[in-house]
Amino acid sequence: MKATIKLLGVAGFAGLSLAACGTSNTAAVSSTSNSTSAGSTTTHPANAAVGFNAAKTEFVLPHNLGLLPASELALAKSDSAYAKGLANSADWYQSQIAVVKPGSSNSAPTLTPIWVYEGTLSGGANQSATGGLQAAAVGAVKTMVMEWTTRVVSHYGQSLLSVVHSTSTPIHLTTLNVLLNGTSSNTSSSQVSGAKREFVTPPPLAVQAAPVGTLTVGSTHVPAICTPAPEAILAGGKPITANGLPNMNAGPSTIFAADGLVSNSPTPPKSGPNFYDKGTTSCGAFH
């Protein structure tokens, strides 16, 4: 059965049609802020088999994505189901992320193909309408995380914000943060000024390959991913809450989740999606 699904946008996130059927999805998120890489390919032998090498020091991802980031290599070693899913090309789905290049906000966004791991949350059930919704929601969370990075960079301006993917600063913050709330935007449209900051956030490929599961928000289970990396704005060696942005500090690992991202109803709901992050001690048993 083919599920016709609509991604529901809010503020800088645009809602575009999405069709899910069989083993492929096509999703799109657009940005009017600075672009972020949709993933990078790590050099490895052309004839390398997908999965672990003999010594388990590297894990080759399918779809020519290169090597699994080191932060997730440990997860794959400790969780055989996650490793099996990563190596199964059918558990990956191709989406499109649409970004507008810096300085060209009036230009049409460029659609960039992107593979995301959606795992057994959708799996074989993707043939059904329910499975299609699940698959679409997971893919939308991942593209939303990457879009959020562009939003934060755009808010600060590249001259005042360095994006880094690791830090020696201890980040142990496990509160649930609401990054976007329904139809309202939590961010100021004007750029901030002041001293330079660091934005610690997972690299795109780590988001693409992140394990998937659910997060309980209130009494509702919402689609979520877990990245073994913190999410924080740093200044003076400590996390801060940035002017004009919601609190996003989470770590040492970060769960990203959203609800209201997809619908198979011909009538869109009146409110937009909610987008969250939450610190967690580990992604080791995330399901």
Side-chain angles (χ1 to χ4, degrees):
M1 178 179 179
K2 184 176 182 178
T4 300
I5 301 160
K6 192 158 190 170
L7 281 176
L8 307 174
V10 58
F13 304 95
L16 299 176
S17 295
L18 182 151
C21 183
T23 58
S24 67
N25 287 338
T26 301
V29 176
S30 67
S31 165
T32 54
S33 57
N34 297 328
S35 64
T36 185
S37 169
S40 58
T41 301
T42 305
T43 302
H44 62 280
N47 60 349
V50 170
F52 284 114
N53 63 357
K56 286 196 171 184
T57 56
E58 294 180 346
F59 189 105
V60 178
L61 296 171
H63 305 296
N64 297 314
L65 288 174
L67 299 178
L68 182 67
S71 59
E72 287 162 341
L73 185 63
L75 292 180
K77 288 180 179 179
S78 63
D79 188 336
S80 59
Y82 175 52
K84 183 178 179 180
L86 286 177
N88 182 5
S89 61
D91 280 350
W92 290 75
Y93 299 86
Q94 190 171 42
S95 299
Q96 294 184 88
I97 185 166
V99 295
V100 175
K101 294 180 180 180
S104 58
S105 59
N106 294 326
S107 302
T110 301
L111 292 177
T112 302
I114 180 174
W115 285 98
V116 294
Y117 170 68
E118 293 181 342
T120 55
L121 183 64
S122 52
N126 197 44
Q127 294 286 350
S128 69
T130 301
L133 285 170
Q134 290 177 323
V138 171
V141 169
K142 293 195 172 189
T143 52
M144 206 165 186
V145 171
M146 287 182 277
E147 164 64 11
W148 178 251
T149 299
T150 71
R151 190 181 184 114
V152 175
V153 172
S154 178
H155 177 76
Y156 263 97
Q158 291 177 313
S159 63
L160 289 179
L161 193 71
S162 296
V163 178
V164 297
H165 302 309
S166 63
T167 177
S168 59
T169 300
I171 299 175
H172 297 279
L173 302 162
T174 58
T175 57
L176 177 70
N177 302 312
V178 180
L179 304 183
L180 289 172
N181 185 6
T183 56
S184 64
S185 171
N186 298 62
T187 64
S188 168
S189 59
S190 59
Q191 291 186 351
V192 300
S193 59
K196 192 158 187 173
R197 305 285 192 256
E198 281 191 325
F199 179 29
V200 187
T201 189
L205 188 57
V207 175
Q208 290 170 251
V212 303
T214 58
L215 176 68
T216 303
V217 179
S219 59
T220 305
H221 299 291
V222 299
I225 68 170
C226 190
T227 58
E231 175 92 346
I233 295 285
L234 301 181
K238 63 180 181 180
I240 64 166
T241 300
N243 291 336
L245 286 172
N247 178 40
M248 69 180 76
N249 298 328
S253 294
T254 307
I255 297 172
F256 294 95
D259 58 21
L261 281 175
V262 295
S263 173
N264 59 0
S265 170
T267 305
K270 294 181 180 180
S271 61
N274 299 303
F275 181 41
Y276 313 93
D277 75 2
K278 185 180 189 299
T280 185
T281 55
S282 171
C283 296
F286 184 74
H287 297 291

